[in-house]
Amino acid sequence: MLLKISDLRDREIINMNDGRRLGPIKDIELDLEVGRIQAIVLPAYDGGRILSIFGKSDEIVLPWENIRRIGVDAILVELP
């Protein structure tokens, strides 16, 4: 299956463990040596608010291994 990065950005990110919407993809980390996506980066949201963990970060780095399914409208991920 081929997919454009712009197509990924349009999909809703949903945590399978609690059904919570995590927001849009903010960025993608690539491993250029092997040509694979390493992680997707999401804004850190709590409800409608952006979180800042310890005042330093406003994003969640989600390893590619945590992505369970990419659907037409949503990307299902597994976060603890």
Side-chain angles (χ1 to χ4, degrees), residues 20-76:
R20 198 167 32 159
R21 294 178 180 182
L22 301 175
I25 293 177
K26 180 178 177 182
D27 207 349
I28 295 176
E29 292 183 2
L30 301 172
D31 183 339
L32 297 178
E33 290 183 18
V34 295
R36 293 188 183 196
I37 296 175
Q38 290 294 98
I40 59 174
V41 180
L42 310 172
Y45 283 109
D46 180 21
R49 300 176 299 143
I50 294 179
L51 289 179
S52 180
I53 301 168
F54 304 115
K56 293 182 179 179
S57 177
D58 63 344
E59 58 191 31
I60 299 169
V61 178
L62 182 64
W64 188 255
E65 295 81 35
N66 289 55
I67 295 174
R68 297 297 173 239
R69 184 164 307 256
I70 298 175
V72 176
D73 296 322
I75 299 173
L76 300 178

